[in-house]
Amino acid sequence: MKIALVTDAWHPQVNGVVRTLDTVVGLLRDWGHEILVISPEQFRSIPAPSYPEIRLAFTRASTVGRQIEQFEADAVHLATEGPLCVQARRWCRNNSRSFTTAYHTQFPEYLAKRTKLSPRVFWPYIRWFHQASEAIMVSTESVRNQLRSEKLSHVHHWSRGVDLGNFGPAAPSPTIYEELERPVQLYVGRVSVEKNIEAFLDSNQPGSKVVVGDGPALAALQARYPHAH
């Protein structure tokens, strides 16, 4: 099967969406499918306001559509709600091509954190983007229920898994843990405002708190929580 994946999040970005898509693309190729990835580095782009690690690509719907047509895609998946996928959506709609979408990120809440506006301001855009898709892929039941409450009912469960090549009970503990007071409490992910890492660091559970990751909130959290690792 030939699958065209359009995404505003791709390498060299480091985040959960890129990690998920990269893993999925690798598995699909291992299973014999052909995958075309259409991503920001192929086009002129600008850094996202307040988040320069993310590049916003600008191009025409016809340009994206030409790639999909030349690839002779059997299926089109739009992974994100950014400008590149908006152009792909426009081409699909104009050419009566069905497509699927995914809801990876709580965008209304994320944008509310960064703009100080209510999340309700952003939900009309989310509904507009996803309502024309054949299916919206979601990873949890809570997200499925949330989208249904926003009148997006065509949601499908997209399960996740654990890469047993990298994670498993036989893996040795990092040597840094030997010096830490137990129990060790761990956060792994982007260090950014929308992750609400403060709630983790403010908890009064005994033991040690470890944060693994990087992001725009790292310096501020290091200064505010000097006892965290």
Side-chain angles (χ1 to χ4, degrees):
M1 188 175 188
K2 290 187 172 184
I3 304 170
L5 167 65
V6 188
T7 175
D8 294 272
W10 196 245
H11 302 292
Q13 296 176 33
V14 180
N15 54 49
V17 176
V18 174
R19 179 64 176 159
T20 296
L21 296 177
D22 190 42
T23 301
V24 168
V25 167
L27 285 171
L28 289 173
R29 285 172 174 162
D30 287 344
W31 295 343
H33 299 288
E34 294 183 56
I35 312 297
L36 169 68
V37 178
I38 303 175
S39 54
E41 78 275 4
Q42 302 168 22
F43 307 96
R44 181 175 61 87
S45 64
I46 63 171
S50 80
Y51 222 143
E53 302 99 313
I54 295 178
R55 304 290 302 187
L56 301 179
F58 294 94
T59 186
R60 295 179 179 179
S62 58
T63 303
V64 179
R66 193 176 306 116
Q67 291 192 52
I68 296 173
E69 282 189 317
Q70 291 175 350
F71 181 61
E72 299 180 336
D74 299 306
V76 179
H77 180 68
L78 312 183
T80 52
E81 297 92 342
L84 186 54
C85 284
V86 166
Q87 295 303 324
R89 180 190 184 279
R90 178 173 298 148
W91 180 84
C92 287
R93 295 283 285 165
N94 290 343
N95 291 273
S96 301
R97 286 292 303 267
S98 61
F99 60 94
T100 57
T101 59
Y103 192 67
H104 290 278
T105 302
Q106 297 279 21
F107 253 111
E109 289 74 14
Y110 165 77
L111 292 173
K113 289 270 190 181
R114 293 193 166 273
T115 63
K116 308 303 181 185
L117 297 173
S118 167
R120 302 307 313 167
V121 172
F122 306 103
W123 271 108
Y125 173 76
I126 296 297
R127 283 193 293 270
W128 169 83
F129 182 87
H130 291 282
Q131 66 189 180
S133 70
E134 289 293 306
I136 310 169
M137 307 297 185
V138 299
S139 60
T140 67
E141 189 64 25
S142 62
V143 174
R144 183 199 297 246
N145 292 336
Q146 181 185 31
L147 292 183
R148 283 174 171 165
S149 72
E150 296 293 338
K151 299 182 172 30
L152 292 169
S153 59
H154 54 301
V155 289
H156 289 253
H157 185 224
W158 182 8
S159 62
R160 297 290 191 266
V162 175
D163 182 353
L164 297 180
N166 287 324
F167 300 98
S173 297
T175 55
I176 186 178
Y177 287 5
E178 298 173 2
E179 305 171 1
L180 298 183
E181 179 184 354
R182 299 300 178 114
V184 175
Q185 299 148 70
L186 179 68
Y187 167 85
V188 181
R190 279 194 63 76
V191 184
S192 50
V193 62
E194 72 274 9
K195 300 300 184 182
N196 195 24
I197 302 171
E198 293 91 338
F200 166 65
L201 296 174
D202 282 334
S203 71
N204 57 7
Q205 297 297 319
S208 302
K209 296 185 177 67
V210 177
V211 174
V212 178
D214 199 357
L218 180 61
L221 290 178
Q222 285 177 322
R224 185 174 169 188
Y225 299 96
H227 300 299
H229 302 273

